[in-house]
Amino acid sequence: MQDKKEKKTFNVKLFYRRTCLIIYDVISVVFASYMAVFIRYEFHLDMIPEHFLMPINRFLPINILLTLGIFYLFRLYHSLWAFAGETELQNLVVSCVISAIINGVGLQFFKTAGQPVPQSYYFLYMFVLICMIFASRFSYRFLRSQKHKIQNKKNVISVMVVGAGEAGNVIIKEIVNSNFSTMVIKCVIDDDKGKWGKYIQGIKVAGGRDKIIECADVYGIDEIIVAMPAISRPELRKILEICKETNCKLRSLPGMYQLVNGEVNVSKLRDVEVEDLLGREPISVDLDSILGYVQNKTVLVTGGGGSIGSELCRQIASHRPRRLVILDIYENNVYDIQQELKTKYPELKMVVLIASVRNTNRMNRIFEKFQPDIVYHAAAHKHVPLMEDSPNEAVKNNVFGTWKTAQAAAFYGVKKFVLISTDKAVNPTNIMGASKRICEMIIQTFNNHYETEFVAVRFGNVLGSNGSVIPLFRKQIMAGGPVTVTHPDIIRYFMTIPEAVSLVLQAGAYAKGGEIFVLDMGEPVKILDLAENLIRLSGYRVGEDIKIEFTGLRPGEKLYEELLMEEEGLKETANKLIHVGKPIEIDEMQFFAQLKKLKEESKNESRDIRPLIQEIVPTYHYKQEDVV
């Protein structure tokens, strides 16, 4: 019967290495013992007194055995010297010092005729022994480093590192010492003049940011790594604006926390994103105010599998709700967020439901069973051109899906209901924006009749969301172009998904009922600039490697979006990035009658529902075109 315990296999190679090290150490002890006396008498053998050599000769065998034992205890035969660092060096020095002390004590017992060994001998012995042992151990690392440098010269990717600080040093060290690196670092850039002309891991600091373009040309740089995790966003943007003129591929570290947590390495590098060129600091929110109204509450998120809905779920999950209910009609996306949250928050009580907000009975059953305290309504059809072709579907899903969800919320005593709206609801020129404006009107009307606090949060485009231009541009660039832009002058407000959602959560904390919160989206961005930057960040030349084509404005598309209607006014909140629009007076009797007619027309698949929508939303304007 086979022994259950695993048998250790005999490693011939390891045995050979350790045997060689032991033999070398024996030679080192012998050499250090006699070389110390030889140095003491200025390399004149005939001047060395016999009574000095006698105790050294007698104690030498004992000294060898004791020193080998000390080296064994300090793991000088177990360390991987090819990767030796500060700890190994410390162990080496300490073990040699102890050997010298024991040698000094031992020689006192073997001295001849009361003649002691010269005191300088002990220090010389220690010095020679440390040098010998250091040479044997750290030669592994030196030879390995030289081997990699020779190999790296054959690698195909020439790299420039921007940042000669701690993060840059770690990245350079890993690339230089890696067996698998396909990169060779040509130069380092840093604005600190004190570092110019000096070397990091053998790589020269060539100068400041003004040298980036020149060095990229001189050294034939293919890729630039920005290793400056502590730099501010405005300063990072300035550096990236210079870097992208080189047409090199750009990569960077995610952020300062990587450095603090000791997670700086090549695997943490990411491609520089368009978000890095927004040129402003990341938006911060009062997390305590969010925690106060989400913690220990049952929160329902509709459209929880979408880009905004899933980020809402992530941030809500991090604030310890009593239960998180995620609802979506599309199972694939909601499954992904379910698995993500299960892994990250194993203690989270989470319910994932497949349901349509258009199904009255299904929504009522869900609200009755789970009794949510807070609802974030993110479920909607949002793609402008698609909704232009199918306006009845936009009405059914956006308008009456919101109506049914809000009605269930009011009936089952939800405390807060937050509608995710859009800047396209302001003076809309498309069905999607007009339908969302009706949704805003619905929740403001409901707020007048129920105890539930109904509010809406309105913001512009979010970078990387489903249906946004960024994923489209990336696919077009990967395909070799062309990148399509509808109009050279079209502009949009942009914010990252986590930033937008954090502000949505804080707006919900401010909500008293009936408000339309408007998020400050910063400065508008030209879509053409966005396309050009993305092409350059991907390492291509605009117009040469990747061309840009203008396709004309799509149905319902505007050159720019507004965030507020003139009659709404504006009021500030405690967060300067969140504003409140004053509710617009609505003739509720007329509005409900119009909604009833709109429901019938959409249900009957009206050939053109847009005139009726314009009656409800007078600021809606559209072109006369056939729809399906």
Side-chain angles (χ1 to χ4, degrees), residues 8-170:
K8 292 184 178 179
T9 58
F10 183 74
N11 192 323
V12 177
K13 190 174 182 181
L14 182 61
F15 175 78
Y16 173 76
R17 284 182 177 179
R18 287 180 176 173
T19 302
C20 289
L21 280 176
I22 291 171
I23 294 171
Y24 178 89
D25 290 345
V26 171
I27 295 171
S28 297
V29 173
V30 174
F31 181 79
S33 297
Y34 291 110
M35 181 55 68
V37 180
F38 194 44
I39 295 172
R40 165 65 179 77
Y41 286 96
E42 300 178 350
F43 304 100
H44 296 293
L45 285 173
D46 54 342
M47 293 178 62
I48 302 175
E50 182 64 25
H51 62 267
F52 284 170
L53 286 175
M54 186 66 69
I56 294 174
N57 293 334
R58 291 177 177 176
F59 186 64
L60 185 58
I62 301 173
N63 188 27
I64 290 172
L65 292 175
L66 291 175
T67 300
L68 293 180
I70 293 167
F71 286 178
Y72 180 84
L73 291 175
F74 280 86
R75 309 189 68 82
L76 265 61
Y77 301 116
H78 300 83
S79 299
L80 293 172
W81 292 101
F83 302 96
E86 184 179 338
T87 301
E88 286 75 19
L89 178 60
Q90 182 180 352
N91 288 342
L92 186 152
V93 172
V94 171
S95 61
C96 289
V97 169
I98 294 174
S99 173
I101 293 171
I102 291 175
N103 189 29
V105 173
L107 289 176
Q108 298 302 314
F109 293 98
F110 291 92
K111 62 185 179 181
T112 306
Q115 295 291 330
V117 176
Q119 291 184 355
S120 59
Y121 166 83
Y122 304 118
F123 296 100
L124 291 171
Y125 168 83
M126 181 178 67
F127 174 76
V128 175
L129 185 62
I130 289 174
C131 290
M132 292 289 290
I133 303 303
F134 180 88
S136 67
R137 267 55 175 191
F138 282 82
S139 61
Y140 279 97
R141 178 168 177 164
F142 175 76
L143 293 173
R144 180 174 177 271
S145 175
Q146 294 304 309
K147 177 184 175 183
H148 290 156
K149 285 182 179 179
I150 294 171
Q151 290 176 339
N152 283 348
K153 289 181 180 178
K154 302 175 184 178
N155 291 337
V156 295
I157 302 175
S158 297
V159 175
M160 172 194 296
V161 174
V162 179
E166 185 177 343
N169 178 56
V170 174

Side-chain angles (χ1 to χ4, degrees), residues 115-379:
Q115 295 291 330
V117 176
Q119 291 184 355
S120 59
Y121 166 83
Y122 304 118
F123 296 100
L124 291 171
Y125 168 83
M126 181 178 67
F127 174 76
V128 175
L129 185 62
I130 289 174
C131 290
M132 292 289 290
I133 303 303
F134 180 88
S136 67
R137 267 55 175 191
F138 282 82
S139 61
Y140 279 97
R141 178 168 177 164
F142 175 76
L143 293 173
R144 180 174 177 271
S145 175
Q146 294 304 309
K147 177 184 175 183
H148 290 156
K149 285 182 179 179
I150 294 171
Q151 290 176 339
N152 283 348
K153 289 181 180 178
K154 302 175 184 178
N155 291 337
V156 295
I157 302 175
S158 297
V159 175
M160 172 194 296
V161 174
V162 179
E166 185 177 343
N169 178 56
V170 174
I171 292 295
I172 294 167
K173 182 178 178 181
E174 184 171 350
I175 291 174
V176 169
N177 293 330
S178 174
N179 276 325
F180 308 102
S181 173
T182 59
M183 299 180 285
V184 55
I185 300 176
K186 296 289 189 179
C187 64
V188 181
I189 297 294
D190 198 283
D191 286 337
D192 185 353
K193 293 181 180 180
K195 297 177 181 178
W196 295 357
K198 297 181 180 178
Y199 291 81
I200 298 178
Q201 305 290 328
I203 311 298
K204 186 177 181 180
V205 180
R209 68 180 71 179
D210 58 311
K211 292 285 186 180
I212 290 176
I213 296 175
E214 178 185 335
C215 289
D217 181 48
V218 170
Y219 291 100
I221 300 300
D222 302 305
E223 185 171 311
I224 298 175
I225 295 175
V226 181
M228 305 174 73
I231 195 171
S232 66
R233 273 289 181 90
E235 282 301 307
L236 177 63
R237 182 188 180 186
K238 292 176 183 177
I239 291 173
L240 293 178
E241 288 290 346
I242 298 171
C243 292
K244 68 184 178 67
E245 296 303 319
T246 65
N247 293 314
C248 297
K249 182 179 174 66
L250 303 183
R251 291 206 286 171
S252 70
L253 289 169
M256 184 62 188
Y257 73 93
Q258 300 283 355
L259 186 60
V260 173
N261 293 342
E263 298 178 7
V264 175
N265 54 58
V266 172
S267 66
K268 297 296 180 182
L269 291 173
R270 63 165 175 81
D271 290 346
V272 170
E273 304 287 355
V274 176
E275 294 96 307
D276 298 317
L277 295 172
L278 289 179
R280 56 171 170 76
E281 295 294 344
I283 291 171
S284 59
V285 300
D286 180 6
L287 295 178
D288 290 335
S289 68
I290 296 174
L291 181 65
Y293 90 99
V294 170
Q295 188 177 19
N296 296 323
K297 302 289 196 310
T298 296
V299 184
L300 167 65
V301 179
T302 69
S307 51
I308 297 296
S310 61
E311 182 62 26
L312 274 167
C313 294
R314 290 184 190 96
Q315 295 197 26
I316 291 168
S318 70
H319 290 105
R320 302 193 294 276
R322 181 169 66 245
R323 181 189 288 119
L324 176 60
V325 182
I326 307 174
L327 183 150
D328 204 293
I329 189 63
Y330 184 46
E331 69 271 22
N332 291 354
N333 285 348
V334 81
Y335 174 78
D336 290 340
I337 188 64
Q338 179 191 42
Q339 297 308 305
E340 178 186 333
L341 295 181
K342 272 185 177 180
T343 302
K344 193 170 183 179
Y345 304 102
E347 302 300 320
L348 175 67
K349 291 184 178 179
M350 175 174 51
V351 179
V352 176
L353 303 171
I354 303 301
S356 171
V357 293
R358 294 158 61 167
N359 187 327
T360 305
N361 292 335
R362 175 73 167 141
M363 295 305 295
N364 286 338
R365 288 289 299 274
I366 289 170
F367 276 81
E368 180 184 17
K369 181 175 181 179
F370 296 103
Q371 296 289 316
D373 301 292
I374 305 169
V375 174
Y376 287 97
H377 182 54

Side-chain angles (χ1 to χ4, degrees), residues 434-485:
S435 67
K436 294 299 280 187
R437 175 57 194 149
I438 298 175
C439 294
E440 292 178 352
M441 296 166 71
I442 289 172
I443 65 103
Q444 286 188 313
T445 303
F446 271 47
N447 189 72
N448 296 331
H449 297 278
Y450 299 101
E451 293 184 5
T452 300
E453 296 169 356
F454 288 95
V455 299
V457 182
R458 185 189 293 165
F459 54 89
N461 298 273
V462 286
L463 290 166
S465 65
N466 297 332
S468 74
V469 294
I470 303 298
L472 174 62
F473 286 168
R474 285 203 177 100
K475 289 179 183 178
Q476 292 173 335
I477 291 169
M478 288 177 63
V483 171
T484 56
V485 178

